[in-house]
Amino acid sequence: MYSKGTKRKFSDGVDNKAVAASYSLQRQSLLDMSLLKLQLCHMLAEPNLCRSVLIANTVRQIQEEMAHDGSWQVVTEALGGSGHGPSDRLVDTEVLCQSPEQQDSGPKLYSVMGYDGCREEEVVTDKALCSVVVGDRSPAFLLGTIGHCWDRGELRVEDGVSKDSGTGDEEGTRSGEGAKLATGQVFGTFEIKNGAPGSDPALEELFSDVDASYYDLDTTLTGMQSAPKMGPYDFLDSLASSHGPVSNSSCRADLNELDHIMEIIVGS
Amino acid sequence: MEEESVTRKINNSFLRDHNYATEADIISTVEFNPSGELLATGDKGGRVVVFQREQETKSEPQRRGEYNVYSTFQSHDPEFDYLKSLEIEEKINKIRWLPQQNAAYFLLSTNDKTVKLWKISERDRRPDGYNLKDEDGRIRDPSTITSLRVPVLQNTDLMVEATARRVFSNAHTYHINSISVNSDLQTYISTDDLRVNLWNLEITDQSFNIVDIKPCNMEDLTEVITAAEFHPQQCNTLAYSSSRGSVRLCDMRKQALCDTHCKFFEEPEDPSTRSFFSEIISSISDIKFSHSGRFLMTRDYLTVKVWDLNMETRPVQTYQVHDYLRGKLCSLYENDCIFDKFECVWNGSDSVIMTGSYNNFFRMFDRNTKKDVTLEASRENSKPRAILKPRKVCVGGKRRKDEVTVDSLDFSKKILHSAWHPQENIIAVAASNNLYIFQDKVT
C-alpha cells in the first residue's frame, strides 16, 4: 500500500533500494492505470463525473508526490543526448497531429503515448487521428486536459482528441529545449524504469512551478490489450505499509516534465 | 433492537425471481412509503414496481403482512439528447414517496435527468350507461337513441393505475443522484453532481438553484456533490455530501443561494492510514438524517459514520463495514469496485443502522448495544421462512467452518440498495435483480 507517515525502518542499502524501486513501480502502475481509466472514461458516452474527478485527483496526488520525490531523470536524459535507455522501452507509435487546417480554435492538445509492449499494428487508425510510426525525431504530442472530460456533458461531444500540428520544426522554433525534450525518449515516461542519476538544477528551476495538467491519452490506446500488469497489485496488496524512500537512481514517469514541455511549446 | 431479533429473521418472500439476470431488471433503488404499507423498487430498465403489504387476516396468521405486487409501470424511457449526442439512461436512480394525503399514493422517481411525480390510484368502479356512447366507447348513432338514462357506477375488478402527474425536466446538466421531499410537503430538491435545485411540486417549468459548486474553470473541479437530503422536520435545512468526505448543512433562510454552509462536517484524516486511495474511500456515497432529526449518517467506502448535528469536528460513532478490504484497495480500484456507491438506512427508532457489502452480505449495527451482525441475501444459503444465519468473514489466517475468506468474496454480488420499514422490523434488500424482504420472527 502506498502508505505514508510511518516511520522508515533502518535497513541496509540494498533493501532500501528494493523497497524504493518497488514503491515507485507500484506508484507508476497506479498512475498508468488511472490514466487509462480516465482515457476510457473519456470514451464513454457520458462519463460518470464523480468517478472521473476521483481518478483525476488520484493522478494529481501521484504527480505531486512524484514531483516532490523524483528527480528529472528523463528531462536530463533527453537533453543529454542519446537517451538510448528509455527508448528501448518506448513505443514507436506516436500520433501525429493533424494538419493545421484541421486544427480547431480551442486549446492545442497533445497526447503522449508510450506503452511498453505496444506494437504498431495494435494502434487503431481512426479518422480523427492518424497514427504513424515515427522515429525519435518526431515530437508528436497530444495532450489534453481533464477539463474536456468534464465538459463533455456541457459542450458538444468531442469525437476524439483534437490535434495540432506539432511538427518538429514548430516546436523547434518555440524552444530548443522543448524540441529536444519532444523526442521519442520523453514518450516513454510512462514506462521508464531506470535512468541515469543526476538532475539539472536549472531545468528544475525552470519547471518548478508548473501546473499539473492532465493528459488525454490517445484513442489508439483503446486498441491495446495490454493492461498494467496484475503482478504489482498483488504485491501491492500484501506489501507492508511503509513509505519507501525513493532514491535518485530509480526512475519515475514525470508527467510534470511533459507539463513543462507543453508549457513551453504551448506558450501558456 | 435485541440481539435475538437482529439475528433471527424470516426470509419472507422472493420477489421478481428470474433465473437469468437481464440487466434491465437490476434493481437500482428501494423505498418504503411513510406508512410502510407500500414498497417501491426501481430498476435499470426504467420500471417501477410497487408492492403492497397484505392485510393481516385471522385465517392465515402465518402470512403476516406479505408484500405482493400492487402496481408496475414504466416510469422513464431511454431518451436521446440530440444536442449532445448522448443517450440518457432510463435507470431509476431514486424513488421518494410523498406522505399520503388522500386515497391515492404519490411518489417521485428520477433518472439521470428528469424527475416525475406519479400518482398511483385504485379504481374499482366505473360508470356505465352513457347515452352517447356504448359500452365499448364507440359513439352511438344519435338516431338510435330513444330514451335518456342516467349512468350508474358499476363495481369492477380492482385496477391500480399509475399516471404521471408532473414531469420536472431540463433542470440538470449533470446526472441526478438524489431527490428529497421537504417536510413542508410542497417542495423538494433534486441534486446532481454540481448543483442542488429546489422545486415546487406543483410547478414544473421552474426550479431554483440553491447550491452550485461548479467552478468557473472546469479544470479546477476537484469535488462533486454525491447526495443531498432535507432535514426531516426543519423545512429550511438541508445537507449535502461531497466526494471529498465532507457534509455541509445549509439553511435556506440565510440566503437564496446556499453556497456557504452553516455547518461543515468533516473528520480529519488519520495520517497513519493515508494512501493514494484515501480520498476515494472517503467519498461519501449516501447520507441519511435520523428520523429524530438529531443525527446524520454518512456512508463512505469502508465505514458508516453517525454524526451529531451539534458537533462538526468528528462523528459520534464510526462503524467498520468491511475493513478487511483496506488491504485490497488497489485491486478494488482496478476493477472499479472502489467506486461502488453503497446506501445506508436507519430503522424506525434510530437504534439500528444497516448497510450493504459484497458477496450479497449486508450489515446491521445496533447503536445501543454496539453489537453488529452480517447477514446474507441469497437463495442458496437461506430458504423461505428460515432464520438467517449470521455470516462472518475470516480475516486472520485460520478459517473456521462457515466463515468466508476475503479472497473468496464475490465482488460482483453487491448490496447497494436497501430499505427499512418506518415502524416495524421489516427490511427490503436488493441484490442485483432480486429483492429480498426479511422480517422479525413470528413468535
Side-chain angles (χ1 to χ4, degrees):
Chain A
M1 285 294 296
Y2 304 124
S3 253
K4 292 164 83 168
T6 54
K7 271 194 173 171
R8 298 176 185 191
K9 293 188 182 137
F10 177 77
S11 53
D12 61 43
V14 174
D15 282 351
N16 234 12
K17 279 188 184 153
V19 169
S22 70
Y23 175 79
S24 71
L25 176 73
Q26 289 141 30
R27 187 172 61 181
Q28 183 63 62
S29 304
L30 185 63
L31 181 65
D32 293 345
M33 191 181 13
S34 305
L35 290 169
L36 186 63
K37 278 183 188 296
L38 279 175
Q39 192 262 351
L40 289 175
C41 216
H42 190 64
M43 301 293 296
L44 287 175
E46 220 177 346
N48 182 334
L49 190 63
C50 182
R51 181 173 172 272
S52 308
V53 168
L54 288 173
I55 298 172
N57 288 350
T58 307
V59 168
R60 186 189 290 139
Q61 230 185 308
I62 298 173
Q63 284 181 331
E64 278 168 10
E65 192 184 279
M66 281 177 163
H68 188 258
D69 294 338
S71 61
W72 304 103
Q73 298 300 319
V74 178
V75 168
T76 49
E77 243 179 75
L79 287 180
S82 58
H84 48 83
S87 65
D88 291 342
R89 289 175 277 279
L90 290 185
V91 179
D92 275 344
T93 47
E94 293 137 15
V95 180
L96 266 185
C97 308
Q98 281 178 350
S99 54
E101 59 264 20
Q102 288 167 323
Q103 177 188 349
D104 74 9
S105 58
K108 293 172 183 176
L109 301 171
Y110 302 84
S111 87
V112 171
M113 262 187 42
Y115 266 66
D116 208 6
C118 177
R119 299 280 169 261
E120 300 156 30
E121 54 270 19
E122 284 177 0
V123 173
V124 173
T125 4
D126 185 89
K127 256 193 270 184
L129 307 162
C130 27
S131 78
V132 169
V133 176
V134 202
D136 286 351
R137 280 179 300 281
S138 165
F141 286 106
L142 267 174
L143 194 148
T145 60
I146 299 298
H148 287 274
C149 254
W150 314 149
D151 290 344
R152 202 176 188 105
E154 291 207 356
L155 308 174
R156 58 176 174 76
V157 170
E158 300 169 280
D159 55 350
V161 186
S162 64
K163 304 311 160 305
D164 186 17
S165 61
T167 62
D169 302 332
E170 192 175 18
E171 282 159 308
T173 54
R174 288 185 200 177
S175 159
E177 284 164 347
K180 282 185 193 164
L181 291 170
T183 54
Q185 289 90 340
V186 187
F187 284 63
T189 52
F190 293 126
E191 283 296 313
I192 293 176
K193 306 283 190 290
N194 298 297
S199 65
D200 189 339
L203 271 172
E204 280 183 312
E205 195 189 24
L206 185 69
F207 300 140
S208 59
D209 57 354
V210 171
D211 217 287
S213 57
Y214 300 103
Y215 296 80
D216 229 7
L217 296 176
D218 194 276
T219 50
T220 55
L221 263 181
T222 55
M224 290 170 47
Q225 293 307 307
S226 65
K229 304 158 197 59
M230 278 308 297
Y233 306 143
D234 295 340
F235 183 83
L236 261 174
D237 289 339
S238 58
L239 191 70
S241 61
S242 61
H243 174 52
V246 179
S247 66
N248 279 341
S249 62
S250 63
C251 216
R252 53 210 62 71
D254 282 317
L255 286 181
N256 274 330
E257 293 155 15
L258 296 167
D259 283 329
H260 311 154
I261 297 156
M262 287 299 99
E263 292 270 321
I264 296 163
I265 293 167
V266 173
S268 59
Chain B
M1 186 193 290
E2 288 174 281
E3 188 187 0
E4 192 172 352
S5 54
V6 166
T7 55
R8 293 166 193 274
K9 298 264 176 209
I10 286 185
N11 186 335
N12 196 349
S13 50
F14 298 100
L15 301 155
R16 297 157 64 95
D17 193 349
H18 296 269
N19 288 328
Y20 57 92
T22 52
E23 194 160 319
D25 295 330
I26 293 174
I27 300 172
S28 49
T29 184
V30 188
E31 187 81 358
F32 279 99
N33 79 332
S35 67
E37 183 200 350
L38 299 180
L39 173 67
T41 62
D43 65 22
K44 261 188 124 174
R47 277 176 313 226
V48 171
V49 180
V50 180
F51 301 91
Q52 186 186 42
R53 195 174 184 195
E54 262 183 24
Q55 295 301 321
E56 294 177 29
T57 57
K58 286 198 173 61
S59 57
E60 285 178 275
Q62 70 274 15
R63 289 176 68 85
R64 176 175 165 265
E66 281 189 6
Y67 282 85
N68 301 314
V69 178
Y70 179 64
S71 172
T72 304
F73 56 93
Q74 186 74 30
S75 169
H76 287 72
D77 292 308
E79 280 172 51
F80 194 77
D81 183 337
Y82 293 98
L83 212 55
K84 299 174 197 167
S85 286
L86 295 170
E87 199 176 278
I88 300 170
E89 263 190 26
E90 67 275 29
K91 174 170 76 100
I92 308 294
N93 292 333
K94 282 287 180 328
I95 288 174
R96 289 287 181 264
W97 289 93
L98 268 64
Q100 194 176 6
Q101 289 174 308
N102 51 34
Y105 303 101
F106 287 87
L107 63 81
L108 285 171
S109 71
T110 185
N111 69 348
D112 283 341
K113 299 284 185 181
T114 305
V115 185
K116 292 187 186 180
L117 176 70
W118 287 90
K119 175 182 174 183
I120 300 163
S121 49
E122 292 180 6
R123 194 141 48 126
D124 59 358
R125 274 179 245 203
R126 68 177 181 91
D128 191 38
Y130 284 106
N131 289 295
L132 295 176
K133 54 180 179 176
D134 61 23
E135 278 179 22
D136 298 332
R138 281 191 294 250
I139 309 291
R140 285 167 74 187
D141 182 4
S143 57
T144 62
I145 302 170
T146 51
S147 60
L148 284 178
R149 56 183 178 170
V150 178
V152 284
L153 290 174
Q154 302 277 8
N155 285 331
T156 60
D157 293 333
L158 179 65
M159 266 191 345
V160 180
E161 47 183 29
T163 45
R165 302 296 292 175
R166 306 269 187 277
V167 178
F168 306 90
S169 54
N170 298 322
H172 287 279
T173 310
Y174 304 97
H175 292 179
I176 298 176
N177 52 53
S178 324
I179 45 174
S180 178
V181 183
N182 201 346
S183 50
D184 66 7
L185 305 182
Q186 292 185 0
T187 56
Y188 77 93
I189 48 171
S190 59
T191 308
D192 65 30
D193 294 315
L194 298 178
R195 298 187 176 106
V196 180
N197 292 336
L198 181 72
W199 302 84
N200 183 304
L201 283 163
E202 300 293 327
I203 300 167
T204 59
D205 59 358
Q206 235 182 49
S207 85
F208 293 98
N209 175 248
I210 51 173
V211 177
D212 188 341
I213 65 166
K214 180 172 186 273
C216 299
N217 186 357
M218 279 297 270
E219 290 173 26
D220 298 334
L221 181 66
T222 56
E223 192 174 10
V224 300
I225 301 174
T226 51
E229 202 186 31
F230 264 122
H231 190 277
Q233 285 96 34
Q234 294 166 21
C235 59
N236 53 280
T237 305
L238 65 105
Y240 67 91
S241 59
S242 81
S243 57
R244 292 205 114 152
S246 60
V247 177
R248 289 170 175 83
L249 201 70
C250 299
D251 188 335
M252 294 197 294
R253 296 171 300 189
K254 216 171 154 211
Q255 52 190 116
L257 190 61
C258 298
D259 276 358
T260 53
H261 52 264
C262 289
K263 291 198 185 222
F264 181 75
F265 299 86
E266 193 180 49
E267 189 173 20
E269 199 180 1
D270 179 5
S272 65
T273 58
R274 177 150 173 63
S275 71
F276 285 118
F277 305 108
S278 294
E279 189 183 315
I280 300 180
I281 63 169
S282 73
S283 172
I284 293 173
S285 52
D286 193 21
I287 56 167
K288 290 270 170 41
F289 279 100
S290 64
H291 291 95
S292 62
R294 165 88 188 266
F295 298 99
L296 177 70
M297 168 165 59
T298 60
R299 172 72 156 101
D300 52 62
Y301 191 63
L302 297 177
T303 69
V304 184
K305 295 178 178 164
V306 176
W307 302 78
D308 185 327
L309 290 184
N310 301 316
M311 184 164 79
E312 301 163 62
T313 49
R314 56 182 172 78
V316 289
Q317 286 144 3
T318 301
Y319 300 96
Q320 302 294 332
V321 181
H322 37 217
D323 200 52
Y324 45 79
L325 296 182
R326 202 177 280 273
K328 300 246 168 228
L329 290 179
C330 198
S331 311
L332 294 165
Y333 178 69
E334 202 218 348
N335 64 16
D336 273 359
C337 280
I338 207 174
F339 301 107
D340 287 337
K341 292 190 191 298
F342 292 95
E343 290 172 12
C344 53
V345 290
W346 297 88
N347 74 335
S349 58
D350 298 336
S351 58
V352 182
I353 58 180
M354 176 171 74
T355 188
S357 178
Y358 294 104
N359 211 64
N360 281 347
F361 286 171
F362 57 99
R363 305 259 284 138
M364 283 187 198
F365 302 93
D366 189 322
R367 295 179 61 223
N368 301 325
T369 66
K370 307 293 180 223
K371 290 199 168 108
D372 61 86
V373 69
T374 304
L375 300 168
E376 185 177 1
S378 100
R379 247 172 299 159
E380 291 85 33
N381 291 327
S382 56
K383 296 184 173 46
R385 306 200 183 286
I387 292 168
L388 282 182
K389 201 175 56 168
R391 311 287 308 190
K392 195 149 159 52
V393 176
C394 159
V395 292
K398 233 178 167 189
R399 186 185 85 92
R400 291 199 197 90
K401 184 173 175 283
D402 287 342
E403 278 187 0
V404 181
T405 59
V406 180
D407 292 322
S408 63
L409 290 173
D410 188 342
F411 290 95
S412 66
K413 294 187 179 161
K414 46 194 101 174
I415 300 211
L416 303 173
H417 315 286
S418 55
W420 203 307
H421 189 287
Q423 282 106 33
E424 299 184 37
N425 282 337
I426 303 173
I427 56 173
V429 174
S432 175
N433 61 322
N434 291 313
L435 180 72
Y436 295 82
I437 298 181
F438 303 108
Q439 60 184 38
D440 263 356
K441 179 180 172 173
V442 179
T443 46

